[in-house]
Amino acid sequence: MSTLTVEGLSVHYGGVRAAHEVSFTVEPGQSLGIIGANGAGKTSTLKAVMGLAPRRATAIRFGEHDLLRAPAHTLVRHGIGYVPEGRHVFPGLSVEKNLLLGAYTRSWKQTPIDEVYELFPVLRDMRGRLAGALSGGQQQMLAVGRAMMCRPKVMLLDEPSMGLSPKLVGDIAAALKKLNADGLAILLVEQNAKLTFDVTTTCLVMENGEIAAGGTSAELSDDPRVRRIYLGL
Ligand code: ATP
């Protein structure tokens, strides 16, 4: 069983400080959310964990693997799935080929493609279509499905609700809750606090690149300041 540990993570782009001394852990099977306004540093934090943004950190570990020394492309082999902001599906490839690309570390016969199709039946129906022809919601399902294909132990998701209708946000939430109930640990980074409180049990609030608050998602969703700023209530 592997815990994702992030200690003292800072991200700078030249003179711009995007994240400062961020620390958290994601235990096996846990669902952790990070909410925050536009520009709070959520994407930079996730990218830095993946080795895709300039970073300094005391430690970034997954189980016994030291991710500070692991090149980004090896993280998937350690069991870390990543769903980037903006989906980044391959528009000129079919849905099925996009999924199979997610399994590049595994032999073709062992892929969990049937589990993906069970979770998102619309992807089975559209498996021969070009990914670029899918709606935003279907592309988001494809991005989550592609990350499932390496059988991750933890999945890092960056703003999966972006640009989706409330109905599709609900569908994505249901899928994430199912994956988590089946044992997948989830780190969900979102501007959509309502979705995050729905999907996760524990949550951090990020402001100006720092962790400003944290607690159970139930506690935070009852906090008057959080309700005012992040839920508009
Ligand atoms: P969003 O919800 O809009 O994605 P965020 O909370 O994910 O916001 P980041 O995208 O991590 O925040 O941005 C944090 C800060 O870093 C912002 O001030 C942003 O302008 C800056 N920033 C992000 N990426 C870069 C970059 N490649 N070069 C320079 N500055 C950047």
Side-chain angles (χ1 to χ4, degrees), residues 13 16-18 36-45 85 158-159 191:
Y13 303 100
V16 177
R17 189 188 84 162
N38 191 2
K42 307 178 301 295
T43 294
S44 299
T45 298
E85 185 174 22
D158 194 350
E159 301 254 358
Q191 280 193 48

Side-chain angles (χ1 to χ4, degrees), residues 76 90 93-114 116-117 123 127 142-143 145-151:
V76 75
F90 298 98
L93 295 180
S94 70
V95 165
E96 188 142 306
K97 285 200 170 128
N98 267 270
L99 289 174
L100 291 172
L101 277 172
Y104 74 95
T105 58
R106 312 186 74 85
S107 91
W108 298 121
K109 283 187 191 143
Q110 293 173 337
T111 74
I113 198 161
D114 288 333
V116 175
Y117 285 151
L123 296 183
R127 62 184 181 274
L142 181 54
R146 183 179 56 189
M148 285 169 66
M149 291 288 284
C150 65
R151 289 198 194 277

Side-chain angles (χ1 to χ4, degrees), residues 138-158:
Q138 290 161 348
Q139 288 191 6
Q140 190 61 62
M141 292 172 192
L142 181 54
V144 173
R146 183 179 56 189
M148 285 169 66
M149 291 288 284
C150 65
R151 289 198 194 277
K153 297 183 190 116
V154 60
M155 191 182 283
L156 280 48
L157 300 110
D158 194 350

Side-chain angles (χ1 to χ4, degrees), residues 9 15 21-22 33 40 138 156 170 200 207 211 218 226 228:
L9 172 67
E21 294 287 327
V22 171
Q138 290 161 348
L156 280 48
T200 64
E207 289 175 357
I211 303 298
V226 169
R228 182 166 40 82

Side-chain angles (χ1 to χ4, degrees), residues 55-132:
R55 66 187 180 186
R56 265 202 337 260
T58 315
I60 306 180
R61 280 191 310 272
F62 187 54
E64 77 275 20
H65 300 291
D66 177 359
L67 302 189
L68 276 175
R69 281 172 190 76
H73 70 273
T74 63
L75 266 58
V76 75
R77 280 199 190 100
H78 298 324
I80 302 176
Y82 177 50
V83 182
E85 185 174 22
R87 295 138 206 168
H88 295 280
V89 299
F90 298 98
L93 295 180
S94 70
V95 165
E96 188 142 306
K97 285 200 170 128
N98 267 270
L99 289 174
L100 291 172
L101 277 172
Y104 74 95
T105 58
R106 312 186 74 85
S107 91
W108 298 121
K109 283 187 191 143
Q110 293 173 337
T111 74
I113 198 161
D114 288 333
E115 289 166 38
V116 175
Y117 285 151
E118 206 173 297
L119 189 66
F120 300 119
V122 68
L123 296 183
R124 189 198 301 273
D125 298 343
M126 302 185 100
R127 62 184 181 274
R129 291 263 195 103
L130 293 184

